[in-house]
Amino acid sequence: MRTVLLAAGIAFGLAAWACAAGPALPVFTDVVQQAGIRFKHRCGDTHMSNIVEGTGAGCMFFDYDGDGWLDVFLVTGRYHPDVSDNTGRSLRGKLSNKLYRNNRDGTFTDVTEKAGVGGKQFSCGCSAADYDGDGRIDLYVLNYGPNELFHNNGDGTFTDVSERSGLADAHWSLAGGWFDYDDDGRLDVYVVNYLQYDKGEFRSFYPAQGYPGPLSYPAQPHALYRNNGDGTFTNVSKEAGVYQTEGRGMSVAVADWRNCGLLDIYVTNDASACYYFRNTGKGTFVEEGLTRGMAFGEGGQGVSSMGPVVGDVDRDGRLDVFVPAIHYGSLHLNRGDYFEDRTDAMGLAVICGQYTGWGAALVDYDNDGYLDLFQANGDAHHEHIEEAMLVRNDGKGRFVDVASQSGESLKRKYVSRGVATGDFDNDGDTDFLVLNLNDSPRLLRNDGGNRNHWLAVIAKLPNGKSDAVGARVSVTANGMTQILHAALPQGYLSQSDPRPHFGLGNATRAQRVEIRWRNGKTTVLNDVPADQFIKVVQPAN
């Protein structure tokens, strides 16, 4: 079954393309103000002064009302006696997470109060999924304090079901990754927990550092929650083999890195080894981070690994991973049985080494068929500003710094954290949403990325409404095959457009589109015209 959704929007910035010297590259324009997004993040008081505040917050593109246009969710800290200085008392009761509905004309409307999703906790991360299979996407907010699960009622409102669901995890949580780990048809969630903050009691540190780092505090175990199918969840971390007590988790990515139909889990940890959990196919996992070359990168043991992002960087048919970090980062290329760090070899080390990386995105921003890399940056211990990083994949094994050629908006500096990607204006190119500490976010509209051709695939379950989370989509055009997963978690504290987006270069058609569903069956479409969103519904049998 196939339904074609016509893409809407206008290709902006073509004049800038025409005037540019060398390759015609897209530019990015910060449209957050004209879009009507008036949100400003706060860390709970007047300035960043501890690790809870400095860890930051995320953002999300998701279609909460099911109209085919991406809405925006942004999280903030708020006054908390464990965390905030006395100066933050004036902010008590004044801070809220925000939900903005896409008006389909480049603007957004604040619907937080009507929706009932402002929250009550000091929030860090966010994710969304249709956990009960009713065709409506629900909202999960990760907090310093109990997490909050909001059930989508389908009428523009949500109901807080946190306690009843069993997902009000009281640890300090940063990320919640939704996927069906046991292939029973229900979405489970992997919750990344960070560390046990001491309410500011530990002060044995050098003043220049600002505040103690992660190794000054005990780690907290992550948790895998199995969906019971009745609106409740059970912690199955120990029986599933993912229980670990030493990792100070930052974020999670899930993918079929082994091309075997099984979804593995990759967890990035702060200042310690990262975890790679291999799915045995029997409802259990085996940790193999060290043997697969994913525990550390070229930077070694002391690296603060942030939000992993996934994609086939070298177009060899295997999914790779990029991990931002405090300096350098790690680009792990998938070699089948192991991963090889090619950060320096592909030209990234000298670029990344200038920055403190947090949120990132592996996306084809110019639709030429090769994945490029965007990274948001900002100092970890002080509110020292840094510009974002944008490097273009030249298709020959190297990344080239193009930030200075990509518009004035990328030259401005912020203390950034979370990044979400998505085509919010449905014009065929990928835009960026960036959460900045104690500042307004940035909505970076891609102007000109749709000069090349593209195809976006909307993979749905048999009900035609719920995202087919974990479906593997491959698109062949111009002799190149690209692969992506639908709606699987990746990135720092954030969640992106669940619709796999493929750049096709000068190809006006895709020779073949294949969707491999989670039940192992496939749907194949041939000779698909470019420049459209195409909806593919999984057959019922």
Side-chain angles (χ1 to χ4, degrees), residues 52 84 161 235 284 320 377 487:
V52 180
S84 307
V161 296
N235 188 333
T284 60
D320 312 302
N377 306 304

Side-chain angles (χ1 to χ4, degrees), residues 124-162:
C124 296
C126 51
S127 65
D130 178 13
Y131 73 85
D132 56 354
D134 64 357
R136 302 187 292 264
I137 193 164
D138 309 297
L139 175 63
Y140 192 38
V141 184
L142 295 307
N143 302 313
Y144 177 85
N147 297 332
E148 296 166 301
L149 179 65
F150 297 96
H151 178 262
N152 191 332
N153 300 320
D155 59 0
T157 69
F158 292 76
T159 298
D160 187 339
V161 296
S162 309

Side-chain angles (χ1 to χ4, degrees), residues 16 87 144 153 208 233 247 261 334 397 448 481 496 514 516:
T87 57
Y144 177 85
N153 300 320
F233 292 78
N334 190 340
T481 297
S496 296
E514 178 179 303
R516 188 185 70 194

Side-chain angles (χ1 to χ4, degrees), residues 49-62:
S49 59
N50 57 64
I51 196 168
V52 180
E53 296 174 344
T55 297
C59 51
M60 182 164 58
F61 280 126
F62 78 124

Side-chain angles (χ1 to χ4, degrees), residues 476-478 504 507-511 527-530:
T476 300
N478 273 347
L504 303 184
T508 59
R509 315 183 78 81
Q511 285 82 41
D527 196 28
V528 179

Side-chain angles (χ1 to χ4, degrees), residues 496-535:
S496 296
D497 191 341
R499 306 170 297 185
H501 181 101
F502 301 88
L504 303 184
N506 61 9
T508 59
R509 315 183 78 81
Q511 285 82 41
R512 177 183 172 93
V513 175
E514 178 179 303
I515 299 92
R516 188 185 70 194
W517 309 102
R518 290 301 308 142
N519 63 7
K521 297 182 179 180
T522 61
T523 297
V524 176
L525 308 174
N526 295 308
D527 196 28
V528 179
D531 303 329
Q532 62 171 321
F533 293 91
I534 185 168
K535 181 179 176 181

